[in-house]
Structure formats: C-alpha cells, structure tokens
Amino acid sequence: MEPKHRSLQAPGFYRFAVGALAVTVINDGWFALDTGAFSGDAASAAQLLDAAYLPTGIIKTSTNAWLVETGAKRILIDAGSSPALLPDAGRVIHNLSAAGIDAETIDGVILTHMHGDHVDGLLTRDGQPAFPNATVHVSEAEYDFWMSDTVYATLPERFKAFADVARTAIAPYARRLMTFRDGEELAPGVVAAMAPGHTAGHTMLRLSSQGRQLLIWGDLVHNAALQCPEPDRSLPYDTDPVMAAATRSKVLEMAATERLLVAGSHLSFPGLGHVGRASHGYGYVQASWNADPC
C-alpha cells in the first residue's frame, strides 16, 4: 500500500545571515538530470560519481532561489519554475509562504539568467504576475539575447523553446523591467557579476555586508561531483560551452582563493558550501548546517 502524501516533504526554506542581510534559501523542487549529458570521458565521470556516492544516469537535482532582505527591500533572486515545465518543481511561492513571506511583498526579482527553471515561476498558473509589486531585473546581455528576433532565427530548436518560455514569463512585467550591467549594485550590498557561457548574460550576485560575503553563482555548476574536479565538463544547455567552462574555472579559482561561501541553483539544498583546490581540479565542501535563525 502506497503511503499517503508520499511526494510531500518538509517546507524547503533555510535562513541565515550575511552581515546585516537576511538570506532565505527557497527550494523550488527538483528535476531529473542525466549525468550522461555532461561532456567528457564517461569512465572518469563514473568514478567521480561513485566517489561522491551518486549514481550514474539520472540524478534528482535541486533547484533553488534566494530571498534577500535588506531591511528596506525584499529581493528574490530567481523565481523558479512551474509544474507545467518541471513536474516536481514550481514550489517557490509555496515555500515563500511557508517561510512567512507573501509574494505581494516582494519588491524586486533579480534573474541570474532566463532559462525556464529560473523565470517560469514569474507567472501564476493562469498566466498572471506571481509577484505583482516587483520590478524584474535582468542583465542587458541576457535580455538582448533572448528577446532578439534576429538571434531567435539562428537558434537550435531546443534553444528556441527556451526563448519562448522566457518571453512568455517576462511579458507581464514589461513596464516594470530594468536591465543592468556588470558591477552594478542592484540593492544595498547586492552586486551583479557577469559569468557568461551558460547563457549570454548569465549573472552571479555577490552579497557583502559587515565584512561577510556570499557568492550566489546561479548555474555555474550543475553537478559539483563532476564539474568541480573537471570544470571543462559542459551540458547541452550551455549557450557557449567553451566560455562556460572557462568561466567556471575562473570562478572556482576565485572562490577557493577568497574562501568564499557560495550558493548554487543546482547544488543540493540548501546549496551552500565552499570550494577548495584539490589534487584533481577543485572540491566542493558543503557548509555546516546552522539551526540558529538569522
């Protein structure tokens, strides 16, 4: 007999502080990622996955968003997906509510990029703005790429599908949309840092307050067991795989050198950890769980 509510789990939110900034990781759910989709040697991949106690083949991969409260503003970084796009995702609104946050109180949504698992949650199931009082912020390069009809005509079919989702999700926010460039401060202590390759305008957010820092690196890494030791491993979702690999190597080195706390969209929830140099590339170390509220 199947247990009742088999698919339900505890609410997916995790609070911590970065100086004076209150950060809540919001889990949007998960999607099935085939490890066979990564480029690189399959035998080496199997060894890396086995060493991390992960299966080859399909892995349930977290998708995370972040709420940053500055004291004056509530800023959501990424909006998650929808069950229509990913059947086991689309939980941002639910988990915000579980954390005591009404979607109507969100002042801004910053997008790391415009793939569907980051933008489709901008809409309710009936196509209305999920965050009716929010201004949406997206990098100029990202917006121009997905909105350009000229670019669209040159895209492979799978990327055209990405563009269709992005265009639909962003449309109701047209009058409340702002673009930004590398290095802009989008909220107090929240600075955009370009990390292109996965998409044309893929963006990280660097949070700084009272001597503390957090690097939200978005989709820099989809699987830490594979891509930290071997940063050259790319996915078919990467707009420019060569650039994505170069960016990943650069950011991993920076994170290791500066001993940064990092957060990733697809690191296992709550997706917080550190990067260290290893005999083979880099290693990812999950941060210790902290039961204290921020």
Side-chain angles (χ1 to χ4, degrees):
M1 180 177 177
E2 283 288 312
K4 292 183 179 180
H5 309 302
R6 183 173 181 272
S7 65
L8 297 182
Q9 189 55 278
F13 66 90
Y14 179 84
R15 290 189 171 101
F16 65 105
V18 178
L21 301 175
V23 180
T24 306
V25 186
I26 304 294
N27 182 247
D28 187 50
W30 61 271
F31 66 95
L33 179 62
D34 185 356
T35 59
F38 286 92
S39 66
D41 180 67
S44 173
Q47 291 176 348
L48 290 170
L49 292 166
D50 183 65
Y53 296 90
L54 293 172
T56 55
I58 302 300
I59 292 179
K60 291 182 177 180
T61 299
S62 292
T63 177
N64 304 312
W66 303 267
L67 176 71
V68 180
E69 297 178 88
T70 68
K73 298 287 185 181
R74 280 178 167 165
I75 306 296
L76 185 66
I77 298 174
D78 285 342
S81 187
S82 71
L85 187 66
L86 297 173
D88 295 292
R91 303 175 188 173
V92 163
I93 296 293
H94 171 78
N95 283 324
L96 279 172
S97 179
I101 305 296
D102 190 318
E104 293 188 359
T105 69
I106 301 297
D107 299 292
V109 179
I110 302 172
L111 300 175
T112 60
H113 60 299
M114 295 179 71
H115 278 169
D117 56 321
H118 301 260
V119 302
D120 209 32
L122 287 170
L123 302 181
T124 62
R125 292 192 179 190
D126 59 356
Q128 299 303 306
F131 307 99
N133 299 309
T135 298
V136 173
H137 304 262
V138 61
S139 82
E140 185 178 88
E142 186 75 358
Y143 183 84
D144 288 349
F145 181 88
W146 295 112
M147 297 300 117
S148 168
D149 290 336
T150 301
V151 171
Y152 185 91
T154 69
L155 294 176
E157 288 304 312
R158 69 178 184 277
F159 285 168
K160 285 181 179 176
F162 294 164
D164 292 340
V165 171
R167 291 176 174 202
T168 298
I170 211 78
Y173 296 88
R175 295 184 179 180
R176 291 179 284 116
L177 187 140
M178 298 181 66
T179 60
F180 59 80
R181 295 184 179 182
D182 187 35
E184 286 192 33
E185 187 174 48
L186 305 179
V190 181
V191 175
M194 294 295 104
H198 179 57
T199 63
H202 180 261
T203 303
M204 303 185 299
L205 285 307
R206 190 158 183 158
L207 278 57
S208 304
S209 175
Q210 298 178 346
R212 303 289 298 276
Q213 293 196 61
L214 170 69
L215 181 67
I216 296 176
W217 69 21
D219 277 18
L220 186 87
V221 169
H222 284 78
N223 184 292
L226 291 177
Q227 291 180 296
C228 287
E230 299 181 355
D232 285 350
R233 289 187 180 271
S234 61
L235 280 169
Y237 317 124
D238 294 335
T239 302
D240 186 332
V242 174
M243 182 181 290
T247 296
R248 186 160 38 253
S249 293
K250 179 180 178 180
V251 174
L252 290 172
E253 177 62 24
M254 178 183 72
T257 299
E258 299 185 28
R259 299 177 65 85
L260 293 171
L261 178 65
V262 300
S265 303
H266 303 305
L267 298 176
S268 185
F269 180 80
L272 297 166
H274 295 87
V275 174
R277 297 183 188 88
S279 57
H280 184 59
Y282 301 88
Y284 171 71
V285 180
Q286 184 170 307
S288 297
W289 185 78
N290 179 8
D292 294 331
C294 62

